[in-house]
Amino acid sequence: MQGMSLARFLIEQQRGAAALPAELRLLIETVARACKTIGHAVSKGALGEVLGSLDKENVQGEVQKKLDVIANELLLDANEWGGHLAAMASEEMATIHRIPHRYPKGECLLLFDPIDGSSNIDVCLSVGTIFSVLKAPADAAGREIAEEDFLQAGSNQVAAGYAIYGPQPLLVLSVGSGVYEFTLDREIGSWRLTDGPIRIPAGTPEFAINMARRRQWSDAVVRFVDDRVAGETGPCGREFTMRWTGSMVADVHRILKRGGTFCYPTDVRTGGARLRLTYEANPMSYLIEQAGGASIDGARRILDIVPTGLHQRVGLMLGDADEIAMLRETA
Ligand code: P6P
């Protein structure tokens, strides 16, 4: 029901077919509250002295933005005392963050990219927070949580979502029964239901890829893109538009609402890839599939891939299922 608060939505998911566990409801409410605080910091920009970079790199070898660290700390502080988590993992931390012994532990594992698209922060383009939730293995109850406990296929996720700090602050999430969008009502500080269940519109002639990386692509991706650039003169027989925002969270949101595809393929020259499996590709693929789309690494379904490392990178092609099937067939 439009305008419903996030709290009421989650209570209804708890009572409904989804049978949302109370611990997971608390986790999502906590993450959603932290995203309000992160969004407030992002919106301050230069006035809040949150722009710019630190003179240090993260585990990815990327120069850390001030907001990367601020957002990471906000998510850790918000989530470590509630008793719903066993541990957390982040793009900004080399290894996992266990819940301190002074707090009760829960059964959930939370993974996040605290600020996705951080290269856009200093130029006022949309950035976001991506999160993924797994259950700790049953045998973990009586022992310390280990990094290996996070290395589960994305199909094991029990919830995933993102906040996007754009013209409207939005929270988009799924707990396994469809994708729902909430808009922040700044006047009362509440996330309110504004769309859902979201289904990816079929047949939208839009694709998102960084054309400057063409040398890295497989023949299949080159053909896929060239056929679309050829427009009505080519095999697709219609005109396409290209979009590339430099923030996956913004590109994925556009796809959920308007359709099309997003590709950040593996670099065929090196076998390297850009996007991280556990806290970027997996949560976004969970949402895309919940909205009727598809997500692959070129040949494999993303959610079937069992990670070999917390920060493992993977090629990613997601969106309109029919378009992605074209890529998979030619991959
Ligand atoms: P490029 C942001 O850093 C990110 O991880 C994604 O959000 C985005 O889609 C991609 O990298 C942009 O990569 O190579 O175009 O700068």
Side-chain angles (χ1 to χ4, degrees):
M1 182 172 66
Q2 286 293 76
M4 181 187 294
S5 70
L6 175 65
R8 177 172 174 185
F9 171 84
L10 292 174
I11 290 278
E12 296 204 352
Q13 293 290 317
Q14 196 174 335
R15 290 180 189 143
L20 187 69
E23 182 174 271
L24 185 51
R25 176 169 63 81
L26 173 60
L27 194 171
I28 293 170
E29 285 178 335
T30 303
V31 171
R33 195 160 38 249
C35 288
K36 284 195 284 188
T37 308
I38 294 169
H40 181 64
V42 169
S43 67
K44 283 184 175 177
L47 298 178
E49 297 180 351
V50 296
L51 301 184
S53 303
L54 302 169
D55 61 354
K56 61 179 182 176
E57 291 184 349
N58 62 13
V59 66
Q60 323 286 340
E62 297 162 345
V63 173
Q64 280 188 310
K65 296 285 191 181
K66 287 182 189 172
L67 268 170
D68 284 325
V69 175
I70 292 168
N72 193 64
E73 291 303 318
L74 281 168
L75 283 162
L76 294 177
D77 294 348
N79 280 289
E80 66 176 3
W81 48 267
H84 49 278
L85 282 180
M88 292 179 257
S90 165
E91 177 183 287
E92 300 304 327
M93 301 188 298
T95 189
I96 64 172
H97 178 90
R98 294 186 181 89
I99 297 303
H101 292 305
R102 64 182 179 279
Y103 297 128
K105 271 180 31 182
E107 296 177 353
C108 293
L109 302 177
L110 177 64
L111 303 91
F112 48 83
D113 178 359
I115 296 284
D116 174 65
S118 48
S119 61
N120 286 324
I121 288 174
D122 297 348
V123 293
C124 196
L125 292 178
S126 292
V127 296
T129 298
I130 306 172
F131 66 92
S132 167
V133 186
L134 294 166
K135 298 291 279 185
D139 74 324
R143 59 172 172 81
E144 282 276 281
I145 287 289
E147 188 167 303
E148 290 67 30
D149 294 322
F150 283 76
L151 304 185
Q152 302 179 36
S155 52
N156 285 5
Q157 292 173 102
V158 293
Y162 58 82
I164 180 168
Y165 312 116
Q168 309 96 33
L170 299 179
L171 177 74
V172 175
L173 68 88
S174 177
V175 294
S177 51
V179 180
Y180 291 86
E181 172 200 274
F182 299 81
T183 301
L184 182 62
D185 180 339
R186 285 198 178 97
E187 290 171 18
I188 57 175
S190 171
W191 291 108
R192 307 188 73 78
L193 183 65
T194 45
D195 196 2
I198 295 173
R199 302 295 292 176
I200 296 173
T204 301
E206 276 189 346
F207 66 94
I209 197 166
N210 183 339
M211 296 293 272
R213 310 241 181 277
R214 184 184 174 92
R215 300 187 313 280
Q216 298 175 1
W217 303 344
S218 66
D219 293 344
V221 175
V222 170
R223 268 196 310 277
F224 179 87
V225 173
D226 286 354
D227 287 353
R228 283 142 189 80
V229 170
E232 56 190 20
T233 66
C236 295
R238 59 186 179 137
E239 292 302 301
F240 274 72
T241 300
M242 194 203 88
R243 292 284 182 273
W244 187 252
T245 71
S247 272
M248 178 171 61
V249 71
D251 284 319
V252 167
H253 188 69
R254 185 191 59 255
I255 288 164
L256 283 171
K257 300 288 278 190
R258 201 162 78 194
T261 57
F262 168 97
C263 292
Y264 207 121
T266 301
D267 181 343
V268 292
R269 302 166 305 173
T270 65
R274 161 96 183 189
L275 300 172
R276 276 62 51 144
L277 175 58
T278 59
Y279 42 78
E280 290 178 320
N282 273 344
M284 290 313 205
S285 300
Y286 180 84
L287 294 169
I288 288 290
E289 289 200 2
Q290 282 285 319
S295 182
I296 60 175
D297 71 341
R300 298 174 296 178
R301 177 181 177 239
I302 289 287
L303 297 184
D304 289 340
I305 300 173
V306 178
T308 54
L310 196 56
H311 301 289
Q312 175 182 342
R313 296 172 187 258
V314 68
L316 183 60
M317 307 168 179
L318 58 75
D320 179 314
D322 292 336
E323 286 282 274
I324 296 301
M326 305 277 280
L327 265 170
R328 182 199 290 269
E329 284 169 359
T330 52

